[in-house]
């Protein structure tokens, strides 16, 4: 898959009625069940057409929605600004260049693997530095057996590397998925995914 072949408009249309990501719902449930007394400030990295943004807003969170595509920002503003304008900030930015404010929840649904591997360490340091103690990370990382692992512009992880990556976190959910299924464009590929929800401890 190359950038020329990828049609973002088609992708957004195909996912407009998608359900919120399971990892986000799991993280929100953790937060709500424990009545955590932290401010409800969140960032959605790679917010796309805004499915997870809508869930965060509906649950009373302030949301900074970041995506590199101007079309994604427009969709999110059109969908949510009328009723959630004061709680929603949008930003068109590559994730490698994000400056994250102090935050309680980081949502990165299927976005971090698309970070340039030379910039991933800096992005992860930014995420972990700005996430409050007791705050929650929800998202996905791709494993080495993924069909796209030969793409040198993407970031992939060995299962063992997750221990050091999340050494300041307590893992609430870690589900490894390794299966063949189709992409949104109909391409068949092997998905090797780590679904993660983690709570920052220090």
């Amino acid at each position: 898959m190359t950038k020329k072949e990828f049609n973002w408009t088609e992708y957004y249309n195909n996912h407009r009625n998608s359900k919120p990501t399971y990892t986000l719902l799991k993280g929100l449930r953790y937060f709500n069940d424990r009545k955590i007394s932290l401010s409800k400030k969140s960032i959605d990295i790679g917010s796309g057409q805004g499915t997870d943004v809508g869930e965060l807003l509906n649950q009373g969170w302030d949301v900074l929605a970041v995506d590199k595509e101007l079309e994604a920002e427009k969709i999110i503003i059109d969908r949510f600004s009328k009723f959630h304008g004061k709680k929603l900030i949008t930003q068109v930015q590559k994730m490698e260049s994000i400056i994250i404010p102090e935050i309680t929840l980081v949502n990165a649904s299927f976005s971090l693997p698309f970070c340039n591997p030379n910039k991933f360490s800096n992005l992860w340091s930014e995420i972990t530095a700005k996430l409050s103690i007791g705050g929650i990370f929800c998202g996905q990382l791709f494993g080495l057996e993924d069909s796209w692992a030969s793409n040198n512009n993407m970031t992939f992880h060995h299962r063992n590397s997750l221990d050091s990556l999340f050494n300041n976190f307590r893992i609430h959910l870690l589900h490894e998925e390794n299966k063949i299924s189709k992409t949104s464009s109909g391409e068949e590929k092997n998905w090797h995914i780590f679904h993660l929800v983690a709570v920052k401890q220090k």
Side-chain angles (χ1 to χ4, degrees):
M1 184 183 68
T2 66
K3 287 186 177 180
K4 283 186 176 180
E5 295 169 344
F6 200 87
N7 186 320
W8 283 111
T9 300
E10 180 183 1
Y11 176 88
Y12 298 144
N13 288 336
N14 289 342
H15 289 80
R16 190 173 182 88
N17 296 318
S18 298
K19 295 181 180 179
T21 312
Y22 173 71
T23 44
L24 174 63
L25 294 177
K26 188 81 172 177
L28 290 172
R29 192 174 305 121
Y30 176 94
F31 188 92
N32 294 334
D33 287 349
R34 286 157 182 80
K35 297 181 173 59
I36 296 172
S37 59
L38 294 173
S39 61
K40 298 178 75 169
K41 295 185 180 299
S42 67
I43 184 171
D44 191 320
I45 300 174
S47 49
Q49 77 289 342
T51 299
D52 286 351
V53 170
E55 184 64 26
L56 285 161
L57 290 168
N58 287 335
Q59 293 204 29
W61 287 76
D62 293 335
V63 183
L64 171 58
V66 183
D67 198 284
K68 67 182 181 64
E69 300 294 329
L70 184 62
E71 184 179 359
E73 180 187 50
K74 184 178 184 303
I75 291 170
I76 287 175
I77 290 173
D78 289 346
R79 291 183 71 180
F80 305 119
S81 63
K82 182 177 179 180
F83 298 105
H84 301 285
K86 293 182 179 180
K87 302 187 75 64
L88 173 65
I89 298 173
T90 60
Q91 185 179 120
V92 179
Q93 184 71 266
K94 290 184 177 181
M95 70 181 82
E96 293 92 339
S97 303
I98 294 173
I99 297 176
I100 301 175
E102 297 296 328
I103 216 83
T104 300
L105 186 148
V106 173
N107 186 57
S109 295
F110 294 92
S111 59
L112 295 187
F114 294 93
C115 178
N116 186 293
N118 296 323
K119 303 291 183 63
F120 181 86
S121 180
N122 289 340
L123 174 59
W124 187 250
S125 294
E126 179 75 1
I127 289 172
T128 55
K130 298 300 177 60
L131 186 62
S132 301
I133 294 176
I136 302 168
F137 170 84
C138 311
Q140 284 74 26
L141 299 172
F142 285 1
L144 299 181
E145 296 176 31
D146 195 275
S147 291
W148 291 340
S150 61
N151 188 331
N152 294 327
N153 293 315
M154 294 177 62
T155 299
F156 300 86
H157 289 87
H158 190 283
R159 168 64 182 85
N160 292 342
S161 71
L162 300 185
D163 293 335
S164 59
L165 202 64
F166 287 90
N167 64 334
N168 289 337
F169 290 77
R170 181 173 61 80
I171 301 296
H172 181 59
L173 168 74
L174 171 55
H175 172 63
E176 183 175 357
E177 181 179 1
N178 197 336
K179 70 176 185 179
I180 295 175
S181 64
K182 291 184 178 180
T183 67
S184 61
S185 60
E187 171 195 8
E188 192 171 82
K189 69 177 288 282
N190 190 72
W191 295 92
H192 188 197
I193 308 170
F194 302 107
H195 301 273
L196 288 146
V197 177
V199 183
K200 186 176 176 182
Q201 299 293 288
K202 57 181 179 178

